[in-house]
Amino acid sequence: MIKALGRTKMAATVEITNDIALIRMDDGKANAINFEMIAALNAALDTAEAEAMAIVLAGREGRFSGGFDLNAFANLGADGVYKLLDAGAELLLRLYGGPLPVVAACTGHAIAMGVFILNACDTRIGAAGDYKIGANEAITGMQLPIFAMEISRDRLSSRHLTRALMQGFIYNPEGAVEAGYLDTLADPDRVEAKALVVAEQLAQLPGKAYSWNKKAIRKATLDRIRSSIGAHHKL
């Protein structure tokens, strides 16, 4: 059964098959991360954690996520922006420190918060092709929140941190593998299927050990992100 979550028709859906939860983001546009998308993803994760052994997080064709909703940023006011950043940080904590294996099916472009969500997934399968992947905050004049820096420091190659974060370099999929945004590539029409295969393999691992090891190995990063909530730019 497929459950649609969020006020828009396809903000996010979750489908459980053979103990694998396939969560798809699809707002019909850029898969912008706003309060509605975050609520829909959290609802999908509730279902996945109750009914599944592993998760695949996918976008729609050609688009994983374009990052935070800039229209929301423009209209929320300072307090609302910080609340949205808090909600985004909590989502990353849930993906990066949650009990289940999470495999990303990066179905296309992933920009800004889109790549931080990629970094929060355990294994990341990307679509080969003419897609853009990277953190563009340096280009758009935005300061990176602490959660973005910490999760990137944990997942990206140290050789690419300056280029990726300070200089806002946008990679193609092959470069994204080298930088550490992605782990491997597949043809665009095979990304989701490959991610499901990987999720099925990970679901065979002892779940309690996977959960404990995941939290233990990532504890320092999780703690730093958690302590930054409400103070995203206070170094």
Side-chain angles (χ1 to χ4, degrees):
M1 182 177 76
I2 300 175
K3 298 179 182 178
L5 304 156
R7 290 191 303 274
T8 55
K9 182 178 179 182
M10 295 290 283
T13 60
V14 57
E15 180 180 2
I16 311 291
T17 305
N18 297 328
D19 293 327
I20 307 301
L22 173 57
I23 298 172
R24 289 194 186 96
M25 298 181 286
D26 189 350
D27 65 2
K29 299 177 183 177
N31 284 346
I33 306 302
N34 48 33
F35 286 118
E36 181 179 359
M37 181 64 83
I38 290 172
L41 289 172
N42 277 317
L45 289 169
D46 288 343
T47 298
E49 290 172 6
E51 301 179 20
M53 300 295 291
I55 295 167
V56 170
L57 177 60
R60 64 182 183 84
E61 184 178 355
R63 179 80 65 172
F64 184 72
S65 172
F68 276 119
D69 187 339
L70 297 183
N71 289 329
F73 274 1
N75 296 318
L76 284 171
D79 288 345
V81 168
Y82 276 101
K83 288 179 181 177
L84 183 53
L85 289 172
D86 283 346
E90 294 281 6
L91 176 63
L92 295 185
L93 286 170
R94 187 168 188 184
L95 291 168
Y96 205 49
L100 300 182
V102 183
V103 181
C106 183
T107 47
H109 302 297
I111 300 294
M113 185 61 176
V115 295
F116 306 137
I117 292 174
L118 276 183
N119 283 344
C121 297
D122 301 343
T123 302
R124 293 129 333 143
I125 315 297
D130 188 19
Y131 298 116
K132 296 179 180 180
I133 297 172
N136 67 346
E137 282 80 359
I139 299 170
T140 58
M142 297 176 68
Q143 292 175 288
L144 286 164
I146 289 172
F147 64 75
M149 292 185 281
E150 292 299 333
I151 203 161
S152 298
R153 196 193 320 275
D154 216 24
R155 299 307 302 277
L156 296 186
S157 164
S158 60
R159 297 187 300 107
H160 283 266
L161 280 175
T162 295
R163 193 181 197 198
L165 297 185
M166 292 169 55
Q167 298 171 355
F169 187 81
I170 304 300
Y171 297 83
N172 62 21
E174 291 78 10
V177 172
E178 181 183 350
Y181 283 124
L182 297 172
D183 294 301
T184 190
L185 302 179
D187 290 338
D189 61 350
R190 297 294 301 164
V191 170
E192 193 174 286
K194 187 170 182 177
L196 286 167
V197 169
V198 173
E200 289 168 0
Q201 293 169 346
L202 294 175
Q204 301 306 309
L205 296 173
K208 289 184 179 180
Y210 192 97
S211 176
W212 193 94
N213 291 335
K214 182 174 177 177
K215 291 177 181 177
I217 290 169
R218 296 173 173 174
K219 183 179 186 303
T221 299
L222 293 167
D223 286 348
R224 286 193 294 268
I225 293 173
R226 194 170 288 112
S227 67
S228 77
I229 292 175
H232 295 286
H233 300 100
K234 293 183 180 180
L235 300 177

